[in-house]
């Protein structure tokens, strides 16, 4: 099961209450065409930063906490500069989140806990 948070501070507070010691921060660039109305024919990619934490003791009893922050999106007509800027902003956001969360947890890793 996955719990998605919209407020990072709320997630941190609840994870600490549950005794979570490790979180992971990573980026995701996804095609979101399925979420776009039919009258917009161009593929759109969404750039996001994820913070995930495994909250169960046993993988069979898995509970994943997830915080998602959208950095931006671009369609296939976007210039290379716009797309590169989104990549840079996404990486910068990951760095900031790792720095903010490092004092709160024993380990702030890369990758993503998955269901």
């Amino acid at each position: 099961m996955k719990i998605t948070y919209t407020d990072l501070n709320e997630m941190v507070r609840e994870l600490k209450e549950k005794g979570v010691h490790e979180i992971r921060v990573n980026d995701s660039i996804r095609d979101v065409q399925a979420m776009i109305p039919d009258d917009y024919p161009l593929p759109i990619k969404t750039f996001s930063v994820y913070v995930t934490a495994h909250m169960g003791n046993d993988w069979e009893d898995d509970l994943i906490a997830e915080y998602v922050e959208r950095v931006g999106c671009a369609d296939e007509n976007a210039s290379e500069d716009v797309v590169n800027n989104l990549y840079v902003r996404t990486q910068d956001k990951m760095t900031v989140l790792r720095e903010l969360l490092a004092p709160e947890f024993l380990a702030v890793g890369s990758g993503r806990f998955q269901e």
Side-chain angles (χ1 to χ4, degrees), residues 19 30 34 49 81 107:
R30 310 187 304 130
V49 175
D81 287 344

Side-chain angles (χ1 to χ4, degrees), residues 25-29 48-50 87 90-91 94 98 111-112:
V25 178
N26 79 304
D27 62 337
S28 174
I29 300 167
S48 304
V49 175
Y50 286 79
Y87 277 108
T90 302
Q91 296 303 309
M94 286 174 42
R98 283 190 180 113
R112 185 171 179 195

Side-chain angles (χ1 to χ4, degrees), residues 94-107:
M94 286 174 42
T95 300
V96 167
L97 282 173
R98 283 190 180 113
E99 289 174 2
L100 284 173
L101 296 169
E104 303 292 336
F105 297 96
L106 294 177

Side-chain angles (χ1 to χ4, degrees), residues 24-81:
R24 296 184 184 174
V25 178
N26 79 304
D27 62 337
S28 174
I29 300 167
R30 310 187 304 130
D31 184 356
V32 293
Q33 186 63 34
M35 301 174 204
I36 307 297
D38 292 336
D39 59 346
Y40 194 84
L42 299 177
I44 294 180
K45 298 217 176 288
T46 298
F47 293 71
S48 304
V49 175
Y50 286 79
V51 177
T52 56
H54 171 62
M55 296 164 49
N57 293 330
D58 187 349
W59 287 109
E60 294 172 8
D61 232 9
D62 204 15
L63 181 60
I64 302 288
E66 179 175 80
Y67 167 76
V68 182
E69 188 167 321
R70 308 279 181 237
V71 177
C73 60
D75 66 22
E76 65 182 20
N77 284 338
S79 70
E80 189 174 320
D81 287 344

